[in-house]
Amino acid sequence: MAGACALVTGLTAPAHAGATAPSVYGPAYVMDAQSGDVLLNHEGAERVPVASLTKTMTAYVVLKTAKPTDLVQIRSRDVAYAEDGGGTTADLRPGDRIPVRELMYGLMLPSGADAAHALARTYGPGVDGFVAKMNATARELGMNDTHYVNADGLPMPGGDGYSTARDQAVLAANALRVPLIKRVAGTRWHSLDADDQHRSYEWRNTNRLLGTPGAIGLKTGFTRAAGYCLAFAGESDGRVLVGVLLDESLSSRRFSTAEALLSWAADRRAA
């Protein structure tokens, strides 16, 4: 699926002249997803932890090979991993068999570390094998300042992974070319009714930018080391604009800043 999508790499186009950009409070990057034109680059090459923005790469790597109808068996260690690591969860229950299509909602909306672990374990095969695929995919996309250590962005005893605002914008542009990722990332809440394979679930999106006209996702993140992070996107006059905010100190400000940046970038594209 994702492998059939055109890649956005090598983004070196300069920002266009125009009105002053809205203020940002950490590394930030905004670009046109189709052309690769860079509209804002503030410390976009600084290597920092990116918390749960990591899960966008997890979704992207899974969907390179998995079928949406594939069933993933939830195991006790998936649940224990999220709980022991202090991560956000999709409240998955051991024994349930959930289609990949549905598990994407558990991964992206409540930012389930349990869902990330289950997917990585299944499609590595094994978590270590899956993380190796994540890093190989990062190289393929030209994300040369990115290193993943797990599938969820939680802190690790041996050291956190890292990326940059620029690299995460490249990932966002490519991930949104995968129809299922785009649909899931733009969903405000999703329910999964019980059947003989699993019990019922209901997940709400942590992305407060959704509901803003034109907004289509993409992913929130937070750890103490990473601060508040947001990969965001919006559509304007048929064009997709993507951006990334990293290491914000205020949770709410990342959403208001992203909204202002999307409006500003749309005006620049129209000029």
Side-chain angles (χ1 to χ4, degrees), residues 49-63:
V50 296
S52 287
L53 301 196
T54 298
K55 295 183 178 99
T56 301
M57 178 62 87
T58 299
Y60 187 76
V61 171
V62 167
L63 293 176

Side-chain angles (χ1 to χ4, degrees), residues 149-202:
V149 297
N150 55 31
D152 47 73
L154 287 172
M156 295 285 284
D160 295 348
Y162 59 81
S163 188
T164 66
R166 180 266 180 196
D167 280 7
Q168 288 301 301
V170 170
L171 173 60
N174 284 281
L176 286 170
R177 294 177 183 269
V178 182
L180 181 55
I181 293 178
K182 184 178 180 181
R183 181 166 63 251
V184 169
T187 299
R188 300 177 75 173
W189 68 274
H190 181 76
S191 61
L192 177 58
D193 294 332
D195 62 18
D196 60 347
Q197 301 288 347
H198 54 74
R199 285 154 284 190
S200 62
Y201 292 93
E202 183 169 319

